[in-house]
Amino acid sequence: MVRLPLTAAQVEAGRRLGARLRAARADRDPARIAQVAGISPETLRKIETGRLPTPAFGTIVSLAAALEIPLQELADTWRSAGLAESA
C-alpha cells in the first residue's frame, strides 16, 4: 500500500501537536515520559519536533496518559477547520 504524501495542513497539525506535548512535558525527563508511554525517547523527540507529524493513535493515547492530559485536548490541538476535510 502506497501512503499518500501529507498535506501542508497535516504537517502543521503535527507541529502543533508536538508543541503541545512538549509544553505538557515541561521540565520532566523525556526519557522517563517515553518509558512510561512505552515508546523510545527518539520517537518522543520526533513527535515533539514535528518530524513525526502523524503518530499512531496508540502512541498518542499512551502519551496523554503519561503526561496526564486529556486525549480530547490533544485531538483538539491536532484538528483544524481545513484539516478535518483532508484527513
Side-chain angles (χ1 to χ4, degrees):
M1 175 184 226
V2 175
R3 183 175 176 171
L4 296 175
L6 298 177
T7 66
Q10 289 170 319
V11 171
E12 181 54 35
R15 286 188 187 122
R16 284 193 312 273
L17 178 63
R20 178 62 192 103
L21 290 168
R22 193 169 45 256
R25 183 174 56 79
D27 60 350
R28 291 184 273 182
D29 179 26
R32 179 68 182 132
I33 295 297
Q35 179 183 28
V36 170
I39 62 174
S40 71
E42 180 60 21
T43 297
L44 178 58
R45 275 190 292 277
K46 286 180 180 178
I47 294 168
E48 286 185 350
T49 60
R51 291 186 345 231
L52 182 58
T54 57
F57 179 71
T59 299
I60 297 304
V61 170
S62 296
L63 283 170
L67 294 167
E68 299 177 343
I69 56 176
L71 184 58
Q72 184 62 51
E73 184 177 321
L74 296 179
D76 291 344
T77 299
W78 191 84
R79 188 176 309 138
S80 73
L83 188 61
E85 298 157 9
S86 67

